[in-house]
């Protein structure tokens, strides 16, 4: 499903690229035993942490790069640039190593230490930017990415927020995989929303197969998305800093297809962290903070489900990326104390 770029490559690197691309996608989908019992219905997790850099973003990085090469906008030897909370950066850095590109990433300074170090380990140049500034501020990680893509020769701005190939990657891969793994028997699809690529692309495919599937977006307290969905108003005054990475936004990304989302549920840092921790302890399924956020949203809605429902939840990334935050007892104790 994912494209394998080979333009300008010799046989060995083309072979390596092909091997790497084949490791992306076809992730497992499992039933969450203890959590299904807790909420009285059937909850399945699509384990996107089984991708090479432990997140769903491997799908979009390889797809966007292959489309960039196809269009000629990305040339051999070019530089990949994006604003990323870490996972897309890691996936882009990984792809750039195989295909011989440079990679420059602007990262909000709330990103975990593990993520920043992983980007550097994969050879990316990391530009840390303040997270407590508005998106239009020239210091924000969005503004910095745009400025760099205008000043670096051969730059290719992958633009995960507005590049339609982000959602398309999920339409071509995540959607069909879930449909086949569930043999068409799902009633609800739940995903945390950041750029919107995962929910919009996957849900588009699923709803095309069965338009009775309910699509639930998960937003963070401190993000503008839920209010925008319900009122059409972009209200930056409700935005405030929070810890969860990748979930929610202070902008309206072009990749969020608001029409396909039936409803948004808002969740907070602490309850999402506790959900992820509980699941890891009980079932050994080790999701990241946003995986806990998606479970917390299902928990909030539990009275709306019947025992026959089949709910598929995206586990966007792996818990090992959060050893200094949600899987760190000291971090959790501070959160419990401040109760945010
Ligand atoms: C950990 C994590 N969860 C969820 C998301 C949201 O996915 P999407 O950007 O496809 O909406 C992201 C995106 O950066 C993420 O990094």
């Amino acid at each position: 499903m994912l494209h394998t770029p080979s333009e300008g490559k010799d046989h060995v690197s083309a072979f390596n690229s092909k091997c790497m691309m084949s490791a992306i996608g076809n992730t497992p989908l499992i039933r969450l035993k203890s959590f299904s019992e807790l909420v009285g219905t059937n909850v399945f997790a699509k384990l996107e942490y089984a991708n090479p850099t432990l997140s769903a973003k491997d799908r979009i990085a390889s797809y966007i790069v292959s489309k960039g090469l196809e269009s000629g906008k990305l040339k051999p030897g070019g530089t990949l640039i994006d604003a990323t909370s870490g996972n897309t950066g890691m996936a882009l850095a990984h792809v750039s190593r195989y295909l011989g590109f440079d990679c420059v990433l602007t990262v909000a300074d709330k990103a975990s230490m593990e993520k920043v170090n992983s980007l550097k380990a994969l050879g990316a140049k990391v530009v840390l930017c303040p997270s407590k500034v508005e998106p239009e501020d020239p210091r924000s990680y969005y503004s910095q990415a745009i400025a760099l893509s205008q000043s670096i020769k051969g730059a290719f701005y992958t633009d995960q927020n507005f590049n339609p190939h982000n959602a398309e990657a999920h339409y071509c891969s995540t959607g069909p995989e879930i449909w086949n793994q569930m043999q068409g028997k799902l009633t609800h699809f739940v995903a945390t929303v950041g750029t919107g690529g995962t929910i919009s692309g996957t849900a588009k495919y699923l709803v095309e197969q069965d338009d009775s599937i309910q699509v639930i977006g998960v937003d963070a307290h401190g993000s503008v998305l839920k209010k925008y969905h319900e009122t059409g108003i972009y209200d930056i005054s409700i935005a405030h800093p929070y810890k969860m990475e990748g979930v929610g936004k202070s902008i309206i990304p072009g990749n969020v297809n608001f029409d396909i989302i039936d409803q948004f549920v808002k969740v907070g840092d602490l309850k999402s962290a506790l959900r992820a921790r509980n699941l890891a302890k009980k079932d050994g399924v080790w999701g990241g903070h946003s995986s806990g956020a998606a479970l917390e949203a299902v928990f909030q809605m539990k009275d709306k489900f019947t025992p026959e429902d089949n709910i598929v939840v995206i586990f966007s990334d792996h818990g090992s990326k959060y050893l200094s935050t949600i899987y760190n007892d000291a971090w959790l104790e501070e959160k419990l104390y401040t109760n945010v």
Side-chain angles (χ1 to χ4, degrees):
M1 208 72 68
L2 293 163
H3 292 215
T4 304
S6 56
E7 189 178 317
K9 298 281 120 196
D10 61 22
H11 283 95
V12 175
S13 56
F15 175 74
N16 283 341
S17 324
K18 201 167 171 147
C19 290
M20 189 269 289
M21 298 298 180
S22 70
I24 297 171
N26 292 316
T27 53
L29 186 143
I30 58 162
R31 186 171 182 277
L32 300 175
K33 192 169 171 298
S34 69
F35 189 74
S36 294
E37 279 165 18
L38 179 73
V39 293
T41 185
N42 303 297
V43 183
F44 299 82
K46 176 74 169 157
L47 301 182
E48 288 301 290
Y49 62 54
N51 282 302
T53 67
L54 314 183
S55 91
K57 297 294 183 176
D58 285 312
R59 295 180 189 267
I60 72 160
S62 56
Y63 193 83
I64 288 174
V65 165
S66 68
K67 288 288 178 186
L69 282 166
E70 251 174 54
S71 70
K73 288 182 187 152
L74 173 62
K75 302 229 167 9
T79 300
L80 308 179
I81 296 186
D82 213 333
T84 160
S85 67
N87 279 329
T88 302
M90 215 173 292
L92 287 170
H94 183 242
V95 146
S96 75
R97 293 304 86 198
Y98 275 85
L99 301 180
F101 300 114
D102 285 330
C103 184
V104 179
L105 304 163
T106 60
V107 175
D109 58 12
K110 71 176 178 178
S112 69
M113 192 182 64
E114 297 96 309
K115 281 188 177 174
V116 172
N117 286 342
S118 308
L119 298 177
K120 290 181 181 166
L122 288 167
K125 183 174 173 223
V126 176
V127 181
L128 280 179
C129 306
S131 43
K132 291 181 183 166
V133 296
E134 296 203 352
E136 304 74 35
D137 189 305
R139 294 166 298 167
S140 80
Y141 72 139
Y142 301 116
S143 306
Q144 286 287 312
I146 293 168
L148 287 166
S149 63
Q150 287 161 354
S151 65
I152 295 176
K153 194 163 175 279
F156 177 67
Y157 182 32
T158 49
D159 194 8
Q160 61 165 336
N161 285 302
F162 292 93
N163 186 336
H165 293 139
N166 172 356
E168 200 175 292
H170 290 287
Y171 177 80
C172 294
S173 64
T174 322
E177 285 174 31
I178 291 175
W179 181 255
N180 292 332
Q181 286 167 311
M182 293 299 293
Q183 296 174 343
K185 295 192 176 70
L186 68 154
T187 53
H188 299 78
F189 174 64
V190 181
T192 48
V193 185
T195 66
T198 308
I199 197 163
S200 306
T202 309
K204 179 168 185 266
Y205 182 88
L206 293 174
V207 170
E208 275 174 12
Q209 313 312 307
D210 176 356
D211 65 7
S212 73
I213 295 171
Q214 290 292 298
V215 179
I216 299 158
V218 183
D219 193 17
H221 290 301
S223 154
V224 300
L225 298 177
K226 182 172 189 283
K227 180 162 183 183
Y228 186 78
H229 182 242
E230 287 164 6
T231 64
I233 296 167
Y234 168 56
D235 183 0
I236 191 67
S237 75
I238 62 169
H240 61 74
Y242 54 91
K243 284 286 174 198
M244 227 170 344
E245 295 165 36
V247 187
K249 284 282 171 185
S250 56
I251 60 166
I252 307 295
N255 269 310
V256 185
N257 178 352
F258 286 94
D259 293 338
I260 214 160
I261 299 170
D262 292 293
Q263 77 173 94
F264 268 97
V265 178
K266 277 220 181 204
V267 298
D269 285 338
L270 178 58
K271 286 187 177 162
S272 303
L274 290 171
R275 286 281 162 229
R277 286 173 63 111
N278 281 345
L279 191 78
K281 280 232 167 77
K282 283 197 172 142
D283 290 3
V285 182
W286 196 13
H289 203 167
S290 71
S291 307
L295 293 184
E296 173 58 19
V298 173
F299 183 80
Q300 281 184 29
M301 291 184 66
K302 69 180 186 322
D303 296 340
K304 303 224 161 40
F305 302 127
T306 71
E308 292 74 39
D309 283 339
N310 290 321
I311 301 161
V312 173
V313 172
I314 295 281
F315 270 37
S316 301
D317 72 355
H318 196 256
S320 61
K321 297 188 180 209
Y322 302 90
L323 289 172
S324 67
T325 56
I326 68 167
Y327 292 106
N328 171 359
D329 290 346
W331 183 93
L332 192 79
E333 270 161 33
E334 195 201 314
K335 283 266 151 205
L336 285 168
Y337 182 69
T338 51
N339 195 26
V340 284

